[in-house]
Amino acid sequence: MSVVINSDSVLDIEQHFKVAAGPGAGKTHWLVNHIRNTLHKSGRLGKTRKIACITYTNTAVEAITRRLGPSAIQVEVSTIHAFLYKHVVKPYIMFIDPAYGLDVSSVDGHDDKIASGYQFLADWKNATKQTALRDDAAILEAFKSARWRFDASGILVVEPDYPRTSSGYSIKKPSYRVYKSMAWQKGIMHHDDVLFFSYDLIKNNSSIVDILRAKFPYFFIDEFQDTNPIQVAILKLIGESDTIVGIIGDKAQSIYAFQGAKYDTFDSFNLVNMESYTIEDNRRSTDEIVGILNLTRSDISQSSIRGASGIAPNVVVAGDFMSGLIKCQVACGDEELHTLSYANKVANSLKRSLSPDSFDSKALDELLKKDAPSSANKYRSRIIYNFIVAIELIREQKFADAFKALSKIYKKGDADGKKKSLNDLLVLLGRYESFKNDSLYNFYLIIKDELFYDVSVLRMGGVKTYYESKVYSDMASCVIATEENGLCKTIHKAKGDEFDNVVVIFEKETELSFFLENNMEREEHRIKYVAISRAKNRLFIITPNLGEKNKQGLMSLGFAII
């Protein structure tokens, strides 16, 4: 049975705990206070013994660290991948089974870089006996989607969420494991591989988990609903003895199924003598918005702590998103609106004031398909592609992501190449207005003839025609920052944020069933729940159509129709 607490409640620091808390409940406030209380009361901490605090995003890491202030020196606040790489993979990399073929001397951190190149793919096709696969872009997309998961017998296997094809042929499941082996031989470690190797090391070397327990007598995990089964298995091994484990989360905000997270993970996680608690407060939203939130779920009924009565949430009927957004802005006057959507293409098109219907979300990826990078053309499109990505990320002030894109232009360890690409990036930023509305071919000429990149000449033919037919701005619209801070975001990137006024884009009227069905087992409903719960004062839902039945249903829930 779960005990109801609030964000200021004090719990026993030597007890495993599970705290369920809905949006706006103040769970981060509670977690920071619990950490401070543990630092103050515990006799098990010292210079080499810290509290581990794991959360899901770098933004959340920064927020918790900032709230802890000087106390953060005794707390390891980190994402799960960064923590495991630092404390398991990196220090014990020599214990990784040689049978995996990982070139440990070449490993330099972990990222999402996919091994590619004409020869690499040719070798992979030969090794897996799939030489009939010609669509290299589809193969690379399949590699990108593959992740580690437990099979029915508890063995870790790597495969995508659904079968992938190339040139009309199915990609064989065992061939993803071959890809991993070939990448490891080059010292490439993907983010997901950190989980694979950490689990393997911990499971097969009991001394490693003993050392982790000794270094971290307390292990707290925020946003636990976003963990996947491999992470859960690792945490259970750590929590079997000595270390106190505490988890905080909300199953209704579990929206990362594509990364392996499961809806029932929070409820099913348990350790011996673990106590369960619930925070039922909502300190964020108006009474009207909290009322809507309570109608969409049955497990937690939140109480509005603000006691602020505001304006009824609005459903805005508009044939296109831009006109709907204008209606919302008129209703809000001079106040800022934050627009949230499920699809990247909608968020990006709204950022650039484009119509989503005319926005080609795959234009940039199509470049690599139409002009496949290879040694024959001196990887022409890869250079063009990564300069576009770097330019647009810099313009979004995403410097780390921009530099990561640039690193794919020069060879690893090439200091001169790195310096040149950085200088060239500055040149291109200075000339942005001159090429942003011009053809991709013109941008290519700048790269080749003015910045002197050694890429093949575009002569007559389909590839040149393609470059001439595309506008740079079309490509730029496809660039997505890994973490956004603008007024238009995807719902996944807005998780953890809160805004005064929120507009949520529903692309189809059928999506309004979210408000009428009360079924949080459906992930699409949980995604919408996360979106509407970001709103503090005003909430707008834009839908392209609204039938009479849905209209009456929504009005009965407290919505006003515009």
Side-chain angles (χ1 to χ4, degrees), residues 32 35-36 39 46-47 49-53 61-78 86 216:
V32 169
I35 291 172
R36 286 176 175 156
L39 290 171
K47 290 184 178 179
R49 291 166 65 83
K50 295 184 175 183
I51 295 173
C53 178
V61 169
E62 293 169 4
I64 291 174
T65 302
R66 184 171 60 253
R67 291 196 191 193
L68 283 170
S71 302
I73 194 170
Q74 287 186 278
V75 185
E76 182 93 8
V77 187
S78 176
K86 178 180 179 180
F216 301 101

Side-chain angles (χ1 to χ4, degrees), residues 437-475:
N437 293 318
D438 211 334
S439 69
L440 183 62
Y441 181 71
N442 178 63
F443 184 71
Y444 151 78
L445 290 177
I446 295 173
I447 297 294
K448 177 173 175 55
D449 297 340
E450 298 183 38
L451 299 182
F452 308 110
Y453 278 82
D454 184 21
V455 295
S456 299
V457 176
L458 273 173
R459 304 187 186 280
M460 300 297 293
V463 175
K464 183 180 180 183
T465 301
Y466 173 78
Y467 272 78
E468 291 173 333
S469 67
K470 293 297 178 181
V471 178
Y472 174 91
S473 58
D474 292 338
M475 302 292 177

Side-chain angles (χ1 to χ4, degrees), residues 106-397:
S106 298
V107 175
D108 182 21
H110 55 99
D111 57 31
D112 56 1
K113 177 184 177 183
I114 298 298
S116 58
Y118 177 81
Q119 192 58 53
F120 180 91
L121 290 175
D123 291 343
W124 174 81
K125 292 173 188 176
N126 288 326
T128 60
K129 296 181 172 55
Q130 297 181 105
T131 54
L133 305 183
R134 300 294 183 186
D135 188 346
D136 289 351
I139 295 172
L140 295 177
E141 192 61 33
F143 289 164
K144 190 183 298 184
S145 69
R147 61 176 178 80
W148 293 101
R149 66 192 75 210
F150 290 110
D151 65 10
S153 59
I155 303 298
L156 282 175
V157 296
V158 61
E159 58 189 31
D161 287 327
Y162 60 88
R164 301 297 181 115
T165 62
S166 170
S167 307
Y169 295 94
S170 295
I171 299 175
K172 300 175 183 176
K173 280 189 178 181
S175 65
Y176 293 101
R177 184 64 175 78
V178 175
Y179 163 75
K180 287 291 186 183
S181 295
M182 293 175 62
W184 292 342
Q185 289 168 19
K186 293 179 173 292
I188 296 173
M189 185 177 293
H190 302 131
H191 292 309
D192 207 42
D193 295 335
V194 173
L195 300 179
F196 172 81
F197 286 121
S198 294
Y199 179 75
D200 189 73
L201 285 166
I202 289 173
K203 189 171 178 60
N204 295 311
N205 298 273
S206 60
S207 59
I208 295 177
V209 74
D210 289 339
I211 293 170
L212 284 175
R213 291 171 183 154
K215 291 171 67 176
F216 301 101
Y218 303 94
F219 215 99
F220 305 145
I221 305 95
D222 192 16
E223 304 291 356
F224 187 81
Q225 74 278 352
D226 294 327
T227 56
N228 68 30
I230 305 175
Q231 296 164 8
V232 171
I234 292 171
L235 293 170
K236 282 189 173 181
L237 289 171
I238 293 172
E240 283 180 350
S241 65
D242 301 326
T243 293
I244 296 298
V245 172
I247 67 172
I248 307 96
D250 179 15
K251 66 179 183 180
Q253 297 187 68
S254 176
I255 62 172
Y256 289 94
F258 64 92
Q259 293 183 354
K262 295 183 177 180
Y263 174 62
D264 61 354
T265 294
F266 186 83
D267 283 347
S268 63
F269 185 86
N270 199 24
L271 295 170
V272 176
N273 296 322
M274 175 171 265
E275 294 288 345
S276 295
Y277 304 91
T278 303
I279 302 177
E280 296 182 342
D281 301 338
N282 185 309
R283 299 175 178 275
R284 174 183 298 159
S285 305
T286 63
D287 296 349
E288 289 78 7
I289 294 173
V290 172
I292 294 295
L293 291 172
N294 286 337
L295 290 171
T296 61
R297 66 187 300 180
S298 57
D299 59 320
I300 294 179
S301 181
Q302 291 189 304
S303 299
S304 177
I305 300 302
R306 282 178 60 187
S309 181
I311 299 172
N314 295 122
V315 173
V316 180
V317 185
D320 65 88
F321 303 141
M322 292 306 298
S323 62
L325 192 57
I326 291 171
K327 289 183 180 180
C328 297
Q329 190 65 70
V330 169
C332 273
D334 294 332
E335 295 182 26
E336 277 189 344
L337 282 175
H338 284 78
T339 305
L340 307 181
S341 64
Y342 175 77
N344 281 314
K345 75 170 187 175
V346 176
N348 275 13
S349 64
L350 290 172
K351 278 183 181 181
R352 296 171 169 85
S353 297
L354 300 172
S355 167
D357 295 331
S358 64
F359 176 74
D360 184 358
S361 62
K362 298 182 178 180
L364 194 54
D365 289 335
E366 186 185 39
L367 169 62
L368 297 179
K369 187 175 180 179
K370 293 287 187 179
D371 185 23
S374 68
S375 56
N377 60 29
K378 300 182 180 179
Y379 302 97
R380 175 176 54 219
S381 61
R382 184 184 299 171
I383 293 173
I384 302 294
Y385 178 102
N386 284 297
F387 262 125
I388 293 173
V389 171
I391 289 168
E392 297 307 316
L393 290 176
I394 284 286
R395 285 170 51 78
E396 293 280 342
Q397 298 183 27

Side-chain angles (χ1 to χ4, degrees), residues 483-551:
E483 293 192 25
E484 304 169 73
N485 62 358
L487 299 180
C488 303
K489 295 187 177 186
T490 62
I491 297 167
H492 286 83
K493 293 298 170 62
K495 193 166 180 286
D497 285 335
E498 61 180 27
F499 312 107
D500 287 342
N501 308 301
V502 170
V503 179
V504 184
I505 305 292
F506 281 29
E507 296 188 60
K508 300 177 181 178
E509 183 184 354
T510 53
E511 296 177 47
L512 294 169
S513 63
F514 158 66
F515 294 108
L516 305 169
E517 291 182 2
N518 192 340
N519 183 4
M520 283 298 181
E521 292 188 9
R522 295 175 59 180
E523 188 181 50
E524 61 267 31
H525 282 198
R526 300 196 299 274
I527 292 171
K528 290 176 175 61
Y529 180 78
V530 167
I532 67 172
S533 63
R534 302 307 95 194
K536 294 170 65 177
N537 300 329
R538 297 206 63 175
L539 172 64
F540 299 88
I541 308 297
I542 294 180
T543 179
N545 304 290
L546 185 62
E548 187 61 27
K549 182 179 179 180
N550 282 334
K551 179 180 178 180

Side-chain angles (χ1 to χ4, degrees), residues 378-445:
K378 300 182 180 179
Y379 302 97
R380 175 176 54 219
S381 61
R382 184 184 299 171
I383 293 173
I384 302 294
Y385 178 102
N386 284 297
F387 262 125
I388 293 173
V389 171
I391 289 168
E392 297 307 316
L393 290 176
I394 284 286
R395 285 170 51 78
E396 293 280 342
Q397 298 183 27
K398 298 301 177 184
F399 302 107
D401 291 341
F403 296 151
K404 185 182 292 186
L406 277 185
S407 71
K408 298 174 184 179
I409 293 174
Y410 55 85
K411 293 182 179 179
K412 184 178 178 181
D414 181 4
D416 290 337
K418 180 178 181 180
K419 183 177 180 180
K420 173 176 169 52
S421 63
L422 286 170
N423 287 333
D424 291 340
L425 179 60
L426 292 174
V427 172
L428 291 168
L429 287 168
R431 294 188 52 181
Y432 189 79
E433 293 299 321
S434 70
F435 62 72
K436 70 174 183 179
N437 293 318
D438 211 334
S439 69
L440 183 62
Y441 181 71
N442 178 63
F443 184 71
Y444 151 78
L445 290 177

